[in-house]
Amino acid sequence: LIVSGRDMGPMLIAERRVRVYGRTDGGPGATLAADGGKLTSTNAADPDTPCRWWNMALPILMLVFYIFWLLVVTGIDDSNPNQDFLDIMQNSDSYSALLWGTMAGALTSFAFYLFQDKKDGKIIWFNIKGRVMSWIPRRWRKKQSDEEAKDEARPLMTVREAMASFLAGMEHIFGALVVLTLAWASGAIMVAVGLDRLFGELIVESNLDYRFLPTISFVVSMVIAFATGTSWGTMTIMFPLLLVPTWEASGGNDVVFYATTAGILAGAVAGDHASPISDTTVLSSLASECQLLEHVRTQAPYVLVVSLWSIVVGTIPAGMEAFHNGVSIALGFITMLLHTLFTSVFAINKSGRYDCFTELYLIMTKSEDLQFLKEEVARSYEAGGPLELPVETDEDNEKLGQSIGESKTIGETGITKSVGFENEEALANNKKLEEDDEESDSSSNKNGDGEQEKALGQSVFKDGGEAEGDASEKEETTEDKAEEQTGSFKEE
């Protein structure tokens, strides 16, 4: 699929949603921030920082070196001078090696960056003079203009920037650590309630034909790995459970024995790859800044297709000893090639058609979203490049624009009730209230003028005052109604 540029299923849809519009933000499946907004990088380099490959490669190489060296150091047993390499690896403390190796790699990276300064898009190595001058307080230096200060060589990463980047990175992976902790807890719960023993009894105590053990071991291992989220844990469960019974049941048949072993390994990896609580799945979605469930949804079809053909041309023929294992591998390669050519399509094609499975889903569901995306792909192909991204519309705002409701007072308590009401009519009522308000102002002004003309009569003046009071009272009542109506619109 990668070499041919083709794809299928949910991954094809996700790829099209990005490529059709030339998006670089990951599209709808990108990881969201805690507030639901788009995730922004807090560790991005400054625009004037020159990018060099060694600033990424050396820290990674040093990290691998430290971890490997600490594995050897923690695995050496002084009381056993005859240890070989495998014995050392088995006795090593992987937790300590990963913990201290990571810290040593981070400190080494920071020290490596301190030896580099940046100026005019170039790297200056061992800028001792500039570093010494940076330690001198500015009030003791020669007076410089702002432009001269900007032209000075600056460290590639200061101590403050290094600490801020380290803490930002820890904050970025905190969510993954929570998910991993819960995933490990879920796996432990599955084992504690006896999931492994259940499958073990179904396999060992049932009178099954031993020739189906490779297939059964593959399927059961895949289910356990998917439920527990660990491939290594599945192997530790299945190996002692199946290998000895398989050898005894097959009468020492090495072909069935090795096929069962391979079935356990392959099933554990397949189930772990598709499991949403697997550490590899969580870390993969974290590294690619993709939502976890979106990552699982796009990977699941690959697992299902490959697992199905692994059973058809792999475990079943191997258990039946139908043909040599090399033939199974060749058949598996051919079936995957045929899937690539006939059940997958290019992400951008002339007609915009999907793969056969997605097209069938589109016919059954009549999805407007998929149909619109299909038309956009055809337009992008004709245009020869990405299209302009359409403005996304919030469904809630759209519904609010169609019907904002009428505020109706119930009884004397002032409680309001939202009743379905067309937007145009509600706005018309609001406009009418404003017109009444303007008429009240006009009436009040006229009454005021009449009072000045009849100022000689005390009774008339009194009547005018009463009229003015009535008008003011009416004006206040109208304003209260308008404010109440407008407030209800805002609330809706």
Side-chain angles (χ1 to χ4, degrees):
L1 291 176
I2 296 175
V3 174
S4 65
R6 296 168 175 261
D7 227 319
M8 56 175 285
M11 182 61 81
L12 174 64
I13 299 173
E15 185 176 356
R16 284 185 169 183
R17 285 174 174 167
V18 174
R19 290 187 58 184
V20 166
Y21 305 111
R23 301 181 65 168
T24 58
D25 59 352
T31 303
L32 301 178
D35 58 356
K38 292 184 178 181
L39 188 68
T40 57
S41 176
T42 56
N43 270 351
D46 294 333
D48 62 339
T49 300
C51 299
R52 298 293 184 267
W53 63 268
W54 58 74
N55 286 325
M56 182 195 71
L58 183 66
I60 293 177
L61 292 176
M62 294 305 299
L63 175 64
V64 174
F65 167 75
Y66 284 131
I67 293 176
F68 183 77
W69 178 68
L70 289 170
L71 285 173
V72 175
V73 170
T74 57
I76 294 177
D77 187 2
D78 296 333
S79 62
N80 184 11
N82 298 323
Q83 275 185 306
D84 57 11
F85 179 75
L86 292 178
D87 293 334
I88 293 175
M89 289 293 103
Q90 290 176 357
N91 295 330
S92 62
D93 186 354
S94 60
Y95 176 78
S96 298
L98 290 172
L99 179 64
W100 294 108
T102 302
M103 181 58 67
L107 294 177
T108 302
S109 302
F110 171 55
F112 181 61
Y113 297 149
L114 283 179
F115 292 125
Q116 305 176 60
D117 283 9
K118 56 183 179 181
K119 181 180 179 181
D120 299 332
K122 297 180 180 179
I123 296 292
I124 302 176
W125 291 89
F126 302 102
N127 185 19
I128 299 177
K129 179 181 177 181
R131 195 56 51 84
V132 172
M133 291 298 296
S134 65
W135 293 341
I136 300 176
R138 287 189 174 275
R139 63 177 179 272
W140 294 351
R141 301 187 214 170
K142 181 182 177 181
K143 188 174 181 180
Q144 291 178 314
S145 63
D146 294 339
E147 293 297 331
E148 291 176 344
K150 289 182 180 179
D151 291 338
E152 288 184 350
R154 294 180 291 114
L156 192 67
M157 180 178 288
T158 63
V159 177
R160 182 183 297 273
E161 291 173 344
M163 294 303 299
S165 299
F166 189 83
L167 295 176
M170 294 177 62
E171 180 184 3
H172 185 63
I173 66 171
F174 181 76
L177 296 178
V178 173
V179 175
L180 284 176
T181 303
L182 296 176
W184 291 331
S186 299
I189 291 173
M190 295 293 181
V191 176
V193 299
L195 181 66
D196 54 339
R197 297 190 299 272
L198 171 63
F199 286 112
E201 293 178 358
L202 292 177
I203 295 173
V204 177
E205 296 184 2
S206 57
N207 296 323
L208 295 174
D209 191 339
Y210 71 90
R211 292 175 296 182
F212 291 104
L213 285 176
T215 303
I216 295 174
S217 66
F218 175 80
V219 174
V220 172
S221 297
M222 186 166 62
V223 173
I224 293 178
F226 181 84
T228 59
T230 169
S231 57
W232 289 95
T234 302
M235 296 173 192
T236 58
I237 293 172
M238 296 297 291
F239 277 146
L241 198 64
L242 275 185
L243 293 187
V244 174
T246 299
W247 181 264
E248 295 176 351
S250 63
N253 190 323
D254 55 348
V255 175
V256 175
F257 179 80
Y258 289 135
T260 303
T261 305
I264 295 174
L265 295 172
V269 173
D272 178 80
H273 184 73
S275 175
I277 62 174
S278 169
D279 52 355
T280 53
T281 304
V282 174
L283 293 177
S284 297
S285 63
L286 174 68
S288 59
E289 294 187 354
C290 170
Q291 296 180 27
L292 176 60
L293 294 183
E294 287 296 319
H295 176 64
V296 173
R297 192 171 67 89
T298 54
Q299 296 301 303
Y302 298 151
V303 176
L304 293 177
V305 170
V306 176
S307 299
L308 176 63
W309 284 109
S310 296
I311 295 173
V312 174
V313 302
T315 59
I316 293 178
M320 299 295 180
E321 299 184 62
F323 39 72
H324 193 269
N325 291 339
V327 178
S328 295
I329 295 175
L331 289 176
F333 177 79
I334 292 173
T335 54
M336 293 300 100
L337 181 61
L338 294 176
H339 267 292
T340 302
L341 295 176
F342 298 106
T343 63
S344 60
V345 297
F346 292 105
I348 306 297
N349 55 56
K350 184 176 182 180
S351 62
R353 67 183 180 89
Y354 296 100
D355 60 281
C356 57
F357 303 109
T358 308
E359 285 287 349
L360 180 61
Y361 175 81
L362 178 59
I363 294 174
M364 296 174 61
T365 60
K366 306 292 184 182
S367 173
E368 296 181 359
D369 182 34
L370 292 182
Q371 183 62 38
F372 175 76
L373 182 60
K374 183 177 181 179
E375 297 171 357
E376 292 288 270
V377 170
R379 288 182 53 211
S380 176
Y381 181 86
E382 293 178 358
L387 303 177
E388 184 178 355
L389 183 65
V391 179
E392 296 181 0
T393 303
D394 191 347
E395 293 182 1
D396 295 334
N397 291 336
E398 186 177 356
K399 292 179 181 178
L400 185 61
Q402 294 175 355
S403 175
I404 60 176
E406 178 188 11
S407 180
K408 182 178 180 180
T409 304
I410 302 177
E412 299 177 356
T413 60
I415 301 175
T416 59
K417 179 179 179 181
S418 178
V419 182
F421 206 75
E422 292 300 326
N423 186 21
E424 292 80 2
E425 187 175 352
L427 294 177
N429 291 339
N430 191 21
K431 185 176 181 181
K432 184 178 180 181
L433 290 174
E434 294 177 354
E435 292 176 354
D436 293 341
D437 190 11
E438 293 177 357
E439 292 178 359
S440 299
D441 293 339
S442 177
S443 175
S444 178
N445 293 333
K446 289 181 180 180
N447 289 332
D449 294 338
E451 292 169 13
Q452 292 178 1
E453 293 176 357
K454 299 179 180 179
L456 297 177
Q458 294 295 328
S459 60
V460 177
F461 179 79
K462 183 178 180 180
D463 294 337
E466 293 177 354
E468 182 180 1
D470 294 338
S472 300
E473 183 178 356
K474 182 179 180 181
E475 178 182 353
E476 292 176 359
T477 304
T478 306
E479 289 179 354
D480 292 340
K481 290 182 179 180
E483 290 178 358
E484 181 181 357
Q485 188 77 1
T486 304
S488 66
F489 293 156
K490 291 181 179 179
E491 182 179 0
E492 282 298 311

